Every structure is written in C-alpha cells, then in structure tokens.
Amino acid sequence: MLLKQSGYRKDKKIIPFLFTSSMWCGGALIFLIFLGLIFELFWQGKQAFSVFGFHFITSTDWNPGEQQFSAGAALIGTLVSSCIGVVLALPLSFGCAYCLNELMPQRFSKYITATIQLLAAIPSIILGMWGFFILVPLMSQYVQPFLQNLFGNVPYIELLFSGGTYGIGILTAGLILAIMITPFITAIMQESFSNTPVMLKESAYSLGATRWEVMHQVIVPWVQKGVVGGVVLGWGRALGETMAVTFVIGNAHHASWSLFMPSNTIASLIALEFSESAVGSLKMSSLMALGAVLMVISFVVLFCSQLLLKQVLKSR
C-alpha cells in the first residue's frame, strides 16, 4: 500500500514536470527554427549585400550575364500585386462574410461556407493554370481594353493602363491573388461576425436602427480586430505566393508604371532562377538576399497592422 502511494506521488510530480518541459521545448524549438531561418537567409545573402550594398534594394537591374542583381523590380511587383489583391479581396470578403452570417438562411449559408473553405484548399498551381488559360484571355480581350478606353484619356491615371493588352501583367497577378486570399479573409471575418453578441444587435434593432446602422455602428466596431487579422493573413499569403503568380505575371525583370506590363515578384523570381544558380555564386546569394527582403517585408506588414489596430482601438 505504501509502495503504491509512493509511486502515485512520484507520478504526480513527474508527469506535470514532463508536460511543462515538453511545452517549453516546443516553444523554444519554434523560436530557434525561426531565428535559424532568418540567420540562414541573411548569412547566405551577405555576399550580395556586401557587393551591391543598398543599391541592391533600389536598383531594378537583373542581368546574370554581367553579374548585376537587384531586388527593385521584384520588390515593386510584389508590393503592387499584393496590394491589388488585398484591395480587391477586402470588400468581396466582407460582403461575403456579412451575407453568410446576417442575411442568408442558415440552411443555405452552411453549404456556401463549405464551398468557400474548399476554395482555400485548391493548390496554387491549379489556380495558376486556371488563370493562364481562362483569366488571361478574358483580361486581354475584355477587361484591359475596357480599362484603357475608360481611363486612357485621364491625366496621370492613363499611365497605369497603358501598353499592350496581352492579358498578363501585375493587374492579372493581383486578380489571381485576390481570388486566392478571399477564402482566408472571409473565413476569419465570418468567425468574427458570428462572435458578435446577439444581444447588441437585437438591442440596436429594438431601438429602431436600420440594418446599415447596425452593421456600421455595432458589428464593424466589434469585429474590426478580426477584419484586420484577416487582412494581415491574406496580405501575408499574397506576399509569398509563388506558382499562381508565376503563371500570369509575365516574369519580366523590369519595373513599369503600367499595370498591364509583365513583371515579376520576389517569390516568382526565386522559383524561376533558383534551379539555374550555382551554390556559392553571386546569383545564388542574391536570391537568398531576396528571400531575406521578402521576410523583412512580411514583418513590416505585420508590425504596421498591429500598430494600426492599436491606434484604432485607442481612438475608440
């Protein structure tokens, strides 16, 4: 009996200790992997940073024959295409989440919600092929000529829609990114909408508020943290997307004001050039430096979103 009690006391101390230790080890391991990833990117890219300096970020030259590499054109393509994707996806996701939670009957909304979740599971390469064979012809035959006719005579804005209507380009890449990130943003917004207390909405309706006033003054203030979180998640996905963008952006190493001109992103450039780069070469170091730049951009986006969220919450 005494032996059993002694073993029970020993197990009572050992099991919590093992559980706590394993949790600490798991957290530390993730942190070490994260630090190791950052260190590896900057260490492998130090040759490019030392050779080109800050010119590596500001220049748009990419000429492997003359050993000229830079991140400028790919950086612009990454930021512009991801911003277009977020701008297009945000109202679509908000409307979809609001409709599913507030307007549509439950027996229909659950099927549409499942369909949206299935869209998030489609591999990016499938969306890239769909974009190349379906979206690019539609853009070249209808959307781009329409935009040129609409904005072709507007000063300054005409630059954004100038050039040939080939279907590929940054605008098409932004559109395919919007299609990709919409399910993610919608899912987070829908979850935020569902967490809005029913009592608040019913109280507003009982006081005579319209559906617009309830959405604007009750639901949006309650879900703004989820909205920002969804946008950040979608933007992060758009910044690092590779295959789908590679199919439709044109993969040209130059920067242009026109959204119709072919360009590239950091992720697509790395995917295309990595297999052709020798280990230890300046080109390989430049690609690793591009990866480091992409990671820094992701951190900046996350930091700015958190800062914006704190300012919004503080102002209320």
Side-chain angles (χ1 to χ4, degrees), residues 70-147:
S70 64
L75 182 59
I76 293 172
T78 300
L79 293 176
V80 175
S81 62
S82 61
C83 286
I84 292 174
V86 171
V87 168
L88 294 177
L90 180 57
L92 182 62
S93 302
F94 187 89
C96 188
Y98 183 80
C99 179
L100 290 173
N101 272 68
E102 304 295 330
L103 304 179
M104 191 172 289
Q106 183 71 23
R107 61 180 181 276
F108 295 128
S109 65
K110 62 181 181 181
Y111 295 110
I112 297 180
T113 300
T115 305
I116 293 174
Q117 291 173 351
L118 286 176
L119 282 175
I122 296 177
S124 61
I125 193 169
I126 302 297
L127 280 174
M129 290 190 291
W130 175 83
F132 184 78
F133 288 110
I134 303 297
L135 193 58
V136 169
L138 288 176
M139 293 292 289
S140 65
Q141 294 177 20
Y142 301 105
V143 179
Q144 290 181 344
F146 171 76
L147 292 175

Side-chain angles (χ1 to χ4, degrees), residues 135-289:
L135 193 58
V136 169
L138 288 176
M139 293 292 289
S140 65
Q141 294 177 20
Y142 301 105
V143 179
Q144 290 181 344
F146 171 76
L147 292 175
Q148 275 193 339
N149 292 329
L150 187 63
F151 299 107
N153 296 321
V154 181
Y156 303 110
I157 296 181
E158 61 179 339
L159 292 174
L160 299 176
F161 305 101
S162 60
T165 56
Y166 306 114
I168 57 175
I170 293 181
L171 182 61
T172 309
L175 190 55
I176 200 77
L177 286 175
I179 296 172
M180 291 190 65
I181 64 178
T182 293
F184 294 95
I185 302 177
T186 301
I188 295 177
M189 286 187 180
Q190 195 177 355
E191 186 67 24
S192 300
F193 283 138
S194 64
N195 289 331
T196 305
V198 178
M199 184 181 65
L200 290 179
K201 293 186 287 186
E202 295 298 333
S203 300
Y205 283 125
S206 65
L207 291 174
T210 63
R211 194 180 293 276
W212 160 256
E213 289 170 335
V214 172
M215 187 275 290
H216 181 253
Q217 299 181 9
V218 177
I219 297 177
V220 169
W222 187 269
V223 303
Q224 59 187 356
K225 196 170 184 177
V227 172
V228 174
V231 170
V232 171
L233 178 65
W235 200 354
R237 175 78 191 273
L239 285 171
E241 179 49 43
T242 306
M243 294 310 300
V245 174
T246 305
F247 273 89
V248 299
I249 199 169
N251 304 305
H253 301 297
H254 70 266
S256 171
W257 282 101
S258 175
L259 300 179
F260 295 167
M261 296 303 291
S263 183
N264 59 15
T265 63
I266 292 176
S268 65
L269 180 59
I270 293 174
L272 288 174
E273 302 285 348
F274 195 84
S275 60
E276 301 175 357
S277 306
V279 177
S281 64
L282 182 58
K283 185 178 180 181
M284 176 61 80
S285 178
S286 300
L287 294 177
M288 298 300 286

Side-chain angles (χ1 to χ4, degrees), residues 50-80:
S50 62
V51 170
F52 302 112
F54 194 68
H55 191 66
F56 181 76
I57 304 296
T58 58
S59 175
T60 58
D61 296 332
W62 186 274
N63 190 343
E66 298 181 359
Q67 293 293 294
Q68 291 292 326
F69 305 103
S70 64
L75 182 59
I76 293 172
T78 300
L79 293 176
V80 175

Side-chain angles (χ1 to χ4, degrees), residues 283-299:
K283 185 178 180 181
M284 176 61 80
S285 178
S286 300
L287 294 177
M288 298 300 286
L290 282 172
V293 171
L294 182 60
M295 181 164 284
V296 170
I297 294 173
S298 301
F299 289 158

